[in-house]
Amino acid sequence: MRASSSSAGLRLAQAAVLAGVFALWHVLTVPGILPPFYFDDPHRASFFFGEPLKVLGRIWHWFVGGDIYRHLGVTLVETLLAFAIGTVLGIAVGIWLALAPLASAILDPYVKALNAMPRVILAPIFFVWFGLGIASKVALGVTLVFFIVFFNVYQGVREVSPVVLANARMLGASPRQLLRYVYLPSAMSWVFASLHNSVGLAFVGAVVGEYLGSAEGVGYLIHQAEGVFDINTVFAGILVLTAFALILDWIVTLVEKKLMVWQPRSGETERI
Amino acid sequence: MSPPALALENITCTFVSGARGGARYTAVRDTTIVVAPGEFVSVVGPTGCGKSTLLNVAAGLLAPSAGTVRVFGEPLAGVNRRAGYLFQQDALMPWRNALENITVGLEFRGVPRETAQEQGRDWLRRVGLAGFGDRYPHQLSGGMRKRVALAQTLILDPQILLMDEPFSALDVQTRQLMENELLELWSANRKSVVFITHDLEEAIALSDRVVVLSAGPESHPIGEYAIDIPRPRDVSEARLTRRFLELHAEIWHAMKAEVLKGYARQLQ
Ligand SMILES: Nc1ncnc2c1ncn2[C@@H]1O[C@H](COP(=O)(O)OP(=O)(O)OP(=O)(O)O)[C@@H](O)[C@H]1O
Ligand SMILES: [Mg+2]
């Protein structure tokens, strides 16, 4: 009882924070409500920071008019492709290097260098290689996702319990079966641990790619609006992207719950 | 005469550790243990004397520094395919539930899923976990995990069974049930068993022969005792016989000095 009423209170407080921020934003930007105290011109504030009602109106038009769906779809496809390709590559290379100590020792400095490099600077190269369509954004996302997954899988395979491994061998597992029955599941638990990060980075890759050069996607919308100083549309794009990221994260949580049943969670007893 | 099921011949195991391989530790030195087909041999010895090490050698998981291992007369190369191994530590796959853990060995052998599941359920029942097939290892108690591990190994019907303190996590009652169950399974189709334990009473109650190891380092057998208590045995009844008490007194007398030695060394 108490738990549920306090969580309802929490929700209320969280909603109040959101409403408060919007109210403040409204009061500070709409010309004529407050006397200007920082900018000389009363319209300056709304020029730089937009006006919440106009921003919400813009979002409303996007969804009712249906303009946004194509762009959201493009961003979603780019995100999912980047995530899928980056994850598969990360798992494959991670397992390979973890099981091949020599190769891993040789490649170690290069892996570190590639990971240290700010990957966004690759965007121009990808535009040259893959054009301004989806492929260049996917490539950018892949470079971001790959390393997260790679390092986690590498760690996961290295830390497989030697007893579990020895037991599997005694039960008759061939090297190939060890890979499938022991290394891969063990690595997957680490991949899932990094799922939130890697989906998030796939999204970042897609949006940044769109922003830097494209003809579709929410990042492109923002870039367009910025070009004509339409700050309300920029903010609308930011809000839509944030909501989109939250939904992605929520889906990841659902998937995680479904797939990680075997992992101990602290305090699983039922409250009576 | 048929060759012994398992023969550890003059096994020496020296571990190298430390930064540049500086520190050497000879856990086992010049140890010979021979197990006949169908024989039940227990190995007792103070903690840290090298019992698990010897078992790893017998399983083919650890190459000895010197000496040879023969399995039914053949020199052992790689993992011992004719042996099942119950590890001292938890060895279940955390991502598979109890039933899936039990059937995994059959899966490795390409047994059809249906058959494997059926046998797996049968074994779950035999180790007293009929309702627990869909639990994951972290949802089982230590004793339950041990029983799943036992079923996981026995379902493959190995000719040699290597057991490293399999029942030390169980309470006394369950332990005696499991011991009787083990004896029954063993007498039904006589496997060769190497059974490691701290517990001298358990060793005598179960075995045909008890091997006593000295305290480490450089541990080696210091005594072998044939246990001539008649079979079939009930472990709790066997403990009450006069012969049991005599054997216990005799072996304990030999062991005591070693246990004290081992304990003193660990305190240092
Ligand atoms: N990989 C290793 N590297 C270095 N030393 C080791 C290694 N494995 C075992 N030892 C040492 O060898 C000795 C014997 O270890 P082992 O695990 O065989 O003991 P044990 O008789 O099984 O003990 P317990 O009854 O407590 O299980 C110990 O002193 C241990 O420290
Ligand atoms: Mg041990």
Side-chain angles (χ1 to χ4, degrees), chain A residues 160-161 163-164 166-174 177-178 180-183 185-186 261-265 268, chain B residues 59 61 79-81 83 85 87 89-96 104-105 107-109 136 138-139 152-153 156:
Chain A
V160 167
S161 150
V163 185
V164 171
N167 191 30
R169 289 175 64 201
M170 287 310 293
L171 293 171
S174 63
Q177 285 169 327
L178 281 185
R180 183 172 150 214
Y181 286 83
V182 182
Y183 287 118
S186 172
V261 277
W262 61 267
Q263 277 212 332
R265 275 188 288 274
E268 267 179 308
Chain B
L61 293 171
V79 165
N80 190 342
R81 293 257 160 237
Y85 192 164
F87 290 82
Q89 308 94 320
D90 264 338
L92 298 177
M93 298 178 189
W95 47 86
R96 300 190 133 228
V104 73
E107 258 179 73
F108 290 153
R109 282 162 179 70
Y136 287 88
H138 79 272
Q139 298 168 318
Q152 186 184 50
T153 302
L156 300 176

Side-chain angles (χ1 to χ4, degrees), chain A residues 235-248:
Chain A
F235 272 106
I238 292 173
L239 286 183
V240 168
L241 283 181
T242 307
F244 190 73
L246 279 178
I247 292 171
L248 275 182

Side-chain angles (χ1 to χ4, degrees), chain A:
Chain A
M1 266 313 282
R2 179 173 293 174
S4 76
S5 76
S6 87
S7 98
L10 206 61
R11 291 272 173 279
L12 210 65
Q14 289 168 341
V17 169
L18 187 66
V21 167
F22 269 88
L24 196 66
W25 186 8
H26 181 77
V27 174
L28 288 176
T29 54
V30 175
I33 296 187
L34 291 180
F37 58 90
Y38 182 77
F39 298 108
D40 303 330
D41 181 344
H43 292 276
R44 267 289 162 81
S46 84
F47 177 77
F48 281 115
F49 295 103
E51 288 174 40
L53 288 180
K54 289 185 181 165
V55 168
L56 293 178
R58 162 67 54 194
I59 295 176
W60 174 260
H61 272 290
W62 273 345
F63 281 92
V64 173
D67 291 347
I68 192 79
Y69 296 112
R70 181 170 63 99
H71 296 290
L72 268 181
V74 168
T75 306
L76 181 66
V77 166
E78 288 162 356
T79 303
L80 292 183
L81 279 177
F83 169 71
I85 297 173
T87 302
V88 169
L89 284 180
I91 291 176
V93 178
I95 288 185
W96 171 54
L97 284 191
L99 296 180
L102 182 63
S104 139
I106 294 173
L107 295 180
D108 181 63
Y110 303 105
V111 170
K112 287 211 178 97
L114 284 176
N115 185 45
M117 178 176 66
R119 251 76 38 76
V120 176
I121 59 165
L122 292 177
I125 302 178
F126 289 147
F127 291 143
V128 173
W129 288 351
F130 303 116
L132 291 181
I134 282 184
S136 54
K137 283 84 203 169
V138 172
L140 191 58
V142 166
T143 60
L144 295 173
V145 172
F146 171 81
F147 284 94
I148 295 264
V149 175
F150 165 77
F151 283 115
N152 275 288
V153 168
Y154 186 79
Q155 185 85 350
V157 171
R158 281 304 193 75
E159 293 193 0
V160 167
S161 150
V163 185
V164 171
L165 209 54
N167 191 30
R169 289 175 64 201
M170 287 310 293
L171 293 171
S174 63
R176 181 175 274 247
Q177 285 169 327
L178 281 185
L179 195 65
R180 183 172 150 214
Y181 286 83
V182 182
Y183 287 118
L184 210 52
S186 172
M188 283 319 279
S189 70
W190 288 73
V191 171
F192 283 121
S194 63
L195 211 55
H196 289 276
N197 273 336
S198 48
V199 170
L201 281 177
F203 187 56
V204 168
V207 173
V208 170
E210 286 166 2
Y211 181 81
L212 291 177
S214 71
E216 277 175 315
V218 184
Y220 162 75
L221 283 185
I222 293 178
H223 186 60
Q224 274 273 327
E226 191 193 316
V228 297
F229 297 105
D230 179 359
I231 209 75
N232 286 320
T233 305
V234 172
F235 272 106
I238 292 173
L239 286 183
V240 168
L241 283 181
T242 307
F244 190 73
L246 279 178
I247 292 171
L248 275 182
D249 203 58
W250 172 69
I251 293 173
V252 168
T253 308
L254 288 188
V255 171
E256 210 173 35
K257 279 212 180 110
K258 192 123 203 138
L259 291 176
M260 297 305 281
V261 277
W262 61 267
Q263 277 212 332
R265 275 188 288 274
S266 57
E268 267 179 308
T269 53
E270 189 188 17
R271 285 239 181 283
I272 305 171

Side-chain angles (χ1 to χ4, degrees), chain B residues 162-241:
Chain B
L162 309 171
M163 307 175 85
D164 197 347
E165 303 187 24
F167 302 142
S168 53
L170 304 179
D171 63 277
V172 181
Q173 288 80 14
T174 316
R175 185 171 179 159
Q176 292 191 348
L177 284 178
M178 295 292 296
E179 287 168 358
N180 277 332
E181 179 80 10
L182 175 66
L183 278 188
E184 211 166 287
L185 287 166
W186 171 75
S187 54
N189 61 353
R190 293 244 168 167
K191 304 174 189 314
S192 303
V193 181
V194 182
F195 189 96
I196 285 180
T197 174
H198 276 129
D199 183 350
L200 182 55
E201 291 192 25
E202 182 178 47
I204 299 173
L206 292 173
S207 322
D208 296 322
R209 194 151 50 92
V210 174
V211 176
V212 180
L213 292 182
S214 70
E218 310 207 342
S219 176
H220 54 92
I222 50 167
E224 285 201 13
Y225 302 84
I227 308 299
D228 47 7
I229 301 171
R231 295 195 189 263
R233 295 179 199 163
D234 177 283
V235 286
S236 45
E237 286 166 18
R239 274 169 221 243
L240 304 174
T241 61

